[in-house]
Amino acid sequence: CDMIIGSAELIKSGYGTPEAMINAVASKGGTTERALCVLDKYEFENIIAEAMMECTNRADELGKIK
């Protein structure tokens, strides 16, 4: 969890893009590369985007109930 928070903070501070950070730490054939392959296989980016969309939609719905 701390790794994700730290990475997000570095990106927000202008340290670099997610791709640049991945290239800096992911060794070819290494553990990070293997984990990234699994995330790609299960379309992690799409899952997060869809979850955030649903969260936003529900917040809008709840805001209209007031």
Side-chain angles (χ1 to χ4, degrees):
C1 185
D2 289 339
M3 182 261 323
I4 293 170
I5 292 169
S7 297
E9 288 174 352
L10 285 172
I11 292 167
K12 282 177 59 177
S13 71
Y15 179 79
T17 65
E19 292 79 15
M21 292 177 66
I22 289 168
N23 289 335
V25 301
S27 303
K28 183 146 180 73
T31 57
T32 302
E33 183 183 62
R34 180 70 58 92
L36 291 169
C37 287
V38 171
L39 294 175
D40 285 343
K41 176 181 175 183
Y42 291 101
E43 299 182 354
F44 179 75
E45 187 174 337
N46 292 339
I47 292 168
I48 296 300
E50 188 171 337
M52 294 308 302
M53 182 63 74
E54 287 299 319
C55 178
T56 301
N57 290 343
R58 183 63 180 145
D60 290 344
E61 291 170 359
L62 291 173
K64 292 175 184 175
I65 292 174
K66 293 181 181 181

